[in-house]
Amino acid sequence: MGGYSRSEESHLNMNMHKSGLGMLRCALRSSLLWKCDISIMKQVPLCYNIKSLASTQLGSDKNKALASKSIRYYSHSAPDAAKESTAATETTEVPQNEAEKNALLVYLAGCKSPTEVLDELNRYSIHVNQIGKIFFRMWECIEEMTSEQKQMEFKLMIEHPEFSALCERLMIEAGALKNHALGRTLYAAVNLGVSQDSRVVQTLLRVAQEHLNQFDLNSLSMLSLALHDMTSSNAQTLRESLRLLLLKDDNPETSNVKTLTRLMQWVGKDSPLQLKNQLASKVFSLSSEFTSADNFYIFSSMAKIDLNHTPLLDNCSKKLAENIHDYSFTQLLKVLRCCYQMKYRNYTLFSSISKHMALTIDMCTDQQVLKILQAFEKLIFRPVELLDVFAERIIQEPENLSVN
């Protein structure tokens, strides 16, 4: 910087990043987090393997052969793709006509299969941020199918010329994607079975790494969902960067209960205990803002990471017991099962559920009551109020009780 000495430059840079968030972002930009060897990338084709969706269903030799089939694109080397992706970010596209945009959305909503989505795409002018919606709609269609239908539709999808063009355009213009669209597109592509080692997925991961500091809470949540089951080294690197960003950022904007509970589910039970405790403590610091829905989802999230964080669970138990009428039978049963999974016991919570079920037993079937009783039995809790009322019902109408 001009006539500044090295020590003065260092001091000035530190002032520019007074907040912990600023320093973290500076570190993320300068760190060699991206483990991607260009010489390797040149050898990696843009390859779409039948992997996640079909691997569990393919049994015959013919289907196994199908599972190893791939589509390759060699029109762009990795460096060229990176340049074009960056160039796409710097260009300003002409805003799409609103009527055309709505027409595409209406068309997608009416499609019932991936091939139906692809068949008429060439009739529409597609903005780069709508590519994610196209991928997502194809994934939604496949999710609703039987195993046999999935295999057939997936084969037709990867052989469709529009799918090839769509993937190639996505790779070239990834840098122009908005952050939420980037996470959404990555999530849909991976769930459709696009190989994690393909150039298009690696390009999406690289762009996400570059733009990570500009992601808002919703975008971070979608990105974390996309990364959940990914195993490639670059996905692991991005996952660690995201964890660092969330745990070190003291900005109130990142203090969002809904996002944090999603992230707790994302990190999973195999994550380091320190990380799980840090997330739980951060959620606990927001306890004054909990809604009825938050109290339920925290139980579910804590069970998914297999963590008994007693202060947080005690707080949620108290709020849940005070607002017991806000919860459905299914939610209350889920809470009890989560308690068993986490080896967590709270007499006030259990008693409240027992009394509530006793008061509303006329709205419950015998099978529902039995499920609650079985959950209490596993927790070694005797729900006196519920047992008394249920016993009276059985005595009066014994023929209605049928245990499956």
Side-chain angles (χ1 to χ4, degrees), residues 30 45 64 97 111 123 135 147 152 160 216-217 239 246 259 309 322 325 346 352 358 367 371-372 391:
S30 60
K64 287 178 181 177
N97 181 279
C111 294
R123 293 172 44 201
F135 271 92
S147 299
M152 179 58 67
H160 201 291
D216 61 17
L217 293 175
R239 186 182 289 116
L246 288 163
T259 300
H309 190 283
E322 291 173 353
H325 296 284
N346 187 294
S352 297
Q367 291 303 312
K371 287 179 181 179
I372 289 286

Side-chain angles (χ1 to χ4, degrees), residues 26-309:
C26 182
L28 283 174
R29 290 193 186 99
S30 60
S31 299
L32 295 176
L33 291 171
W34 198 248
K35 305 172 184 176
C36 185
D37 191 326
I38 293 299
S39 64
I40 295 175
M41 285 293 290
K42 287 181 179 179
Q43 302 171 28
V44 178
L46 185 62
C47 181
Y48 303 89
N49 294 319
I50 297 181
K51 190 174 181 181
S52 61
L53 283 175
S55 59
T56 56
Q57 288 95 17
L58 299 176
S60 66
D61 293 338
K62 181 178 180 180
N63 285 333
K64 287 178 181 177
L66 170 62
S68 64
K69 188 172 182 178
S70 62
I71 295 178
R72 301 169 184 269
Y73 304 97
Y74 291 100
S75 58
H76 297 84
S77 66
D80 290 341
K83 289 177 184 177
E84 293 181 27
S85 178
T86 303
T89 310
E90 298 171 354
T91 59
T92 303
E93 295 196 29
V94 178
Q96 187 180 22
N97 181 279
E98 193 66 27
E100 290 181 357
K101 177 181 176 181
N102 292 337
L104 175 63
L105 296 179
V106 171
Y107 167 69
L108 292 176
C111 294
K112 302 300 181 183
S113 70
T115 49
E116 191 176 348
V117 169
L118 295 167
D119 281 343
E120 302 294 332
L121 276 184
N122 56 11
R123 293 172 44 201
Y124 300 92
S125 174
I126 301 171
H127 187 275
V128 63
N129 285 298
Q130 291 176 323
I131 295 177
K133 294 181 180 179
I134 296 170
F135 271 92
F136 206 82
R137 182 55 191 157
M138 288 192 291
W139 175 71
E140 285 181 326
C141 292
I142 279 185
E143 277 295 290
E144 297 170 0
M145 296 180 179
T146 64
S147 299
E148 294 75 14
Q149 288 175 323
K150 285 180 182 179
Q151 293 177 41
M152 179 58 67
E153 283 295 332
F154 193 78
K155 180 179 184 298
L156 294 172
M157 181 188 75
I158 63 173
E159 292 177 347
H160 201 291
E162 282 298 323
F163 185 70
S164 307
L166 196 66
C167 290
E168 188 157 351
R169 183 183 171 192
L170 176 59
M171 185 181 69
I172 295 169
E173 301 189 63
L177 285 168
K178 292 181 180 178
N179 296 330
H180 189 269
L182 181 63
R184 183 185 179 94
T185 306
L186 179 63
Y187 175 78
V190 172
N191 278 278
L192 276 170
V194 179
S195 172
Q196 294 183 29
D197 296 323
S198 64
R199 284 167 54 203
V200 67
V201 169
Q202 291 299 313
T203 299
L204 292 173
L205 288 171
R206 184 171 65 253
V207 173
Q209 177 76 55
E210 293 169 354
H211 296 178
L212 186 60
N213 295 305
Q214 287 81 49
F215 276 45
D216 61 17
L217 293 175
N218 287 331
S219 301
L220 287 173
S221 181
M222 179 56 72
L223 179 61
S224 69
L225 189 64
L227 292 171
H228 187 274
D229 295 319
M230 295 187 69
T231 57
S232 75
S233 60
N234 286 341
Q236 298 281 18
T237 299
L238 182 54
R239 186 182 289 116
E240 290 304 317
S241 299
L242 197 155
R243 287 175 179 171
L244 263 177
L245 183 63
L246 288 163
L247 292 177
K248 299 296 183 183
D249 188 355
D250 296 326
N251 190 319
E253 281 187 349
T254 63
S255 298
N256 181 285
V257 178
K258 183 178 179 181
T259 300
L260 287 171
T261 52
R262 285 183 184 175
L263 290 168
M264 288 168 71
Q265 297 182 38
W266 159 61
V267 299
K269 61 176 62 178
D270 296 327
S271 294
L273 181 60
Q274 181 184 6
L275 172 63
K276 295 192 285 188
N277 278 321
Q278 283 177 303
L279 280 171
S281 297
K282 191 164 186 178
V283 173
F284 182 59
S285 69
L286 305 173
S287 56
S288 61
E289 304 172 15
F290 288 176
T291 64
S292 293
D294 290 335
N295 292 313
F296 168 73
Y297 284 116
I298 287 169
F299 264 95
S300 179
S301 300
M302 296 287 281
K304 287 192 176 181
I305 63 174
D306 197 18
L307 178 66
N308 183 341
H309 190 283

